[in-house]
């Protein structure tokens, strides 16, 4: 399983700013290793977010996203103490969900 995501959700104005750092290799399937073999594709394909259990964000990604991707978005109506959960799925079927509390 992948390392935990680093999620920071901070109140700003009438909502919150959510920042997420995901630990993932994000291989495109086009690079070669030292022996000349193609490194198989391995990248995040779907990212979603929930606010207190309700879906608020969804994205489909491809192999062009960089290693250890960073994501930031604004969340309207969030207040201190609310829960924000981020989930990603990759093309190998692995999935990871982590949660943070808005501060």
């Amino acid at each position: 399983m992948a390392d935990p995501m680093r999620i920071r959700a901070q109140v700003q104005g009438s909502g919150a700013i959510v920042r997420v750092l995901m630990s993932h290799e994000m291989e495109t399937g086009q690079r070669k290793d030292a022996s000349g073999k193609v490194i198989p594709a391995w990248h995040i394909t779907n990212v979603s977010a929930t606010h207190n259990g309700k879906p608020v964000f969804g994205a489909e990604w491809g192999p062009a996203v960089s290693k250890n991707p960073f994501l930031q978005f604004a969340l309207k109506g969030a207040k201190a103490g609310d829960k924000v959960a981020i989930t990603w799925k990759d093309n190998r079927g692995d999935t990871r969900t982590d949660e943070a509390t808005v501060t």
Side-chain angles (χ1 to χ4, degrees):
M1 170 124 317
D3 292 334
M5 288 179 263
R6 294 177 56 188
I7 304 171
R8 180 174 291 153
Q10 296 176 307
V11 172
Q12 187 174 48
S14 62
I17 296 296
V18 180
R19 295 176 180 92
V20 185
L21 183 61
M22 302 173 207
S23 178
H24 199 285
E25 290 298 314
M26 300 295 285
E27 281 294 341
T28 65
Q30 298 178 0
R31 290 184 335 124
K32 295 181 180 179
D33 63 14
S35 65
K37 288 183 165 182
V38 174
I39 300 170
W42 182 36
H43 54 86
I44 293 173
T45 57
N46 297 85
V47 179
S48 60
T50 61
H51 173 225
N52 292 331
K54 295 181 181 179
V56 293
F57 176 85
E60 292 182 8
W61 285 359
V65 177
S66 68
K67 179 178 179 177
N68 299 325
F70 174 79
L71 172 69
Q72 177 176 310
F73 61 95
L75 182 58
K76 291 182 180 180
K79 53 191 178 306
D82 287 358
K83 301 290 185 187
V84 176
I86 308 294
T87 300
W88 60 251
K89 294 178 186 176
D90 69 19
N91 65 320
R92 291 186 183 172
D94 293 333
T95 191
R96 173 106 200 167
T97 300
D98 288 301
E99 186 177 84
T101 302
V102 177
T103 58

